[in-house]
Amino acid sequence: MQFRHPELLYALILLVIPFIVHLFKLRKFQKEAFTNVKLLKKVVQENRKSNQLKKWLILIARTLALAFLILAFAQPFIPSGKTAKQSTSTLLYLDNSFSMQLPGDHGPMLQHNIQQLLENSQQNDHFGLFTNNKDFGIISPSEDQSELQDIDYSSNSMNFNLINLKARQFFNEHPADVQRLVLISDFQQNFGNLNKLENVAYHFVKNEAQNISNISVDSAYVIDKNLNQFSIKANFSTTEKLDRDIPISLKNGEQILAKKSINFKENKQQEVEFRLQAEEIENGIISIEDNALVYDNELFFTYAETPKINVLSVSGSDADFLHRIFTKDQFSYTNFNENEVDFSAFSNADLIILNEVEQINNALQNQVLEKAKEGTPVCIIPASNLQLQNYNSLLSNLGLPIIKNKQNKELLITEISFEHPLFENAFEKEISNFQYPEVQSFYNFNKDASAALAYQNNNAFLMNSGNSYLFSAPISQENSNFQNSPLIVPVFYNLGISALKTPSLYFEVGQENTFDLNITGNGDHVVEIQQNSTDSFIPLQQNTSDKITVTTTELPENAGNYMITYQENRILPISYNYPRNESDLNYLDINEFENIEKQTDLNTFFESAKAAQQIDVLWKWFIIFALIFLIIEMLLLKFFK
C-alpha cells in the first residue's frame, strides 16, 4: 500500500495523547468530608472493573476512528499497473494518407480510427497528435472533438525517419518517465526501415483493409499531334489481374469526348490511346470505375496550344543543323550572320545560341549578358579562330570557365551524364556502346564545370553553369562529326524546350513546379491561379521583360483543373493531380519488428494503457472504518453500563 500524501501520516503521533491522559488521569483530587456510607458506596461503584473496561474500549474506538480518518486524508492506494506511479508522455501518429480510404472491418480505416479516439478518451485524457499534414500538439479529444472530426485525407505521407524526427522534438518538449509513441497506419512498404529512438516505447496499431484490389489511372501524356488532331496515351494499373471489362472515359468538364473499356486479364498494367481533335481541353478528366481507393480514379489534365519558343542564333559558320532541329511546329527560329545582327530581335528571344562567332563585340556581349540576367539560356559554340580576349570576357561574366589555349588533338566524346537535365527522358536506358563522335581540336579551360558530355579523358565537351552552356570545341563539319551523331538532337532540342517552361498536361500536388507565361508583366498586377470564382491563390512569380516565370510548391493542396488569370483575364488552364505512390498496396510485416507492442486496434491500446496506469484507491474504505468506530464509540457511551 502507498500514499499520495504520506506527510499527513505524521499526525498519527498525536494519537498517543489520549493514552497519556487516560493512563495518568491528569486531574487533581479534592478532599471531601462525608458522614454517610452512601457516598462511600458511590466511590466503590466507580472503581468497578467493568467501568474501567468501558473507558478503555471508548478510548480505543475513538483512537482508531481518528487513525483511520488521518489515513484517509493521506489517500492510500495499491498500484495495479507497472507504470502507475510514473509520469507518462504519449504521442500518436495518425496516418491520413489516401490508402486509409480503404474499408476495414468497420468502414473506412481513417474514420474508424478517429471514432475510436473520441470514444476512448476521458475528460482528463491529454496526448500529442500529428498527421501527415498537421501537428495538433497536446490535445484532449473530449475538448477538441471538432478538430478530430475535421481530419481529412492528405496527399502527403511519412516514413519512419520523419515520424522519429517529430517524436524526438515532442519528447524533448514533454519529457516523462514513460514515453510512448503510437503509430496508427496500414504500414505500406514506403515506410522504410525503423531505427528506434532510445527510451521510447513503440506501439504499432496496424489497420488492415478487407480488400486490397484497386485500379488506378496512373499517368497520361501526348504522343502525337498535328494541326487537326492529337493523341493522349493513358496508363492504368491494378493490384491483381481482373477478367472483366472496366469502362473508362475521357471528358472535358461534363462533355464526354471518348469512352473505352479495359481488361486486366493478361497484365496488371495497360495503356489506352485516345485520339482527339486539336482543340483546347480546359477541364480534362480521365476516369475509371473502381470501388476501392477513390483518389486515383480520376486524372485531371488540360490541353492548350503551347506558344512557339523563340530561338535566336548568331552564326559565324553553317547553321543548317539548327534549322533542322528547331522546326516550325514548336519553335520560331531566327538566325543572323555575325556581321548582320538585328539587336532588336533579342528582346523576344527565349534561347540564344552563339554558333562559332569569331569576334564577340561589345554590343553583342551586352545584349547577351542582359538576356542572361533575365534568365534566358545562352549556348556558346566556340569558333576555330576566335578573339580570346572578347570570348573570355563574356565567359567570365556568364560564370563559365575561361579559355587557356587550343590543342590540336583528336579526342572521342565517350561520357554521357544521363542525370543531366538535357538528357532527361532522352534515353530509355543508359547506353555504354555507341558510335562515339570525335573532335580534331579543342580548347583547354582554367577550371572544371558541370559536364553533360565529356571526352575519353573526362574533360568536359559540353559544360554548363546555371543557364549558360559552353562547348569546348567547334562542332562544324571541319572539326567534328558531332552534327552527324544522334546526341546532337537531344542536346539542342531539350535546350530549346527548357528555354520556355510551358505547363504540362498536369503537375503533381506538393511538388515544385515551374512554368513560363508569354506575357509582359506589370509591377502592379500579379498572376493568380483559380479553381472557381471564389477560391484562388497567388503563386511565386518572377517578371522579366517578355515573360513571367511561375513556381508552385505547397499550393494547391487539392487535385483538379485550375485557370491562370492575370488582370482578371483568363490566360491558360492548368491541372494538378495527387502523386500515385499510395496506390501501391504492398504492406510491411510488422511482426518482423522487434521490441514493439503490436495492437489490433486503438481500443486495445487504450485499455492496456489504462491498465498500466490503474491504481486501487482505498481512502473510501478508511472513511468507512472511521465511521464504524465512531458508531461503536457512541454505542459504548449509550448502552455499556
Side-chain angles (χ1 to χ4, degrees), residues 504-519:
S504 305
L505 277 180
Y506 59 88
F507 293 117
E508 279 195 357
V509 170
Q511 305 296 318
E512 182 175 308
N513 305 295
T514 302
F515 54 90
D516 295 329
L517 301 175
N518 257 344
I519 56 177

Side-chain angles (χ1 to χ4, degrees), residues 617-636:
V617 179
L618 303 177
W619 66 270
K620 294 180 181 179
W621 289 102
F622 281 83
I623 290 290
I624 292 172
F625 290 143
L627 291 174
I628 290 173
F629 283 106
L630 284 175
I631 293 171
I632 291 173
E633 179 187 357
M634 293 172 61
L635 293 174
L636 288 172

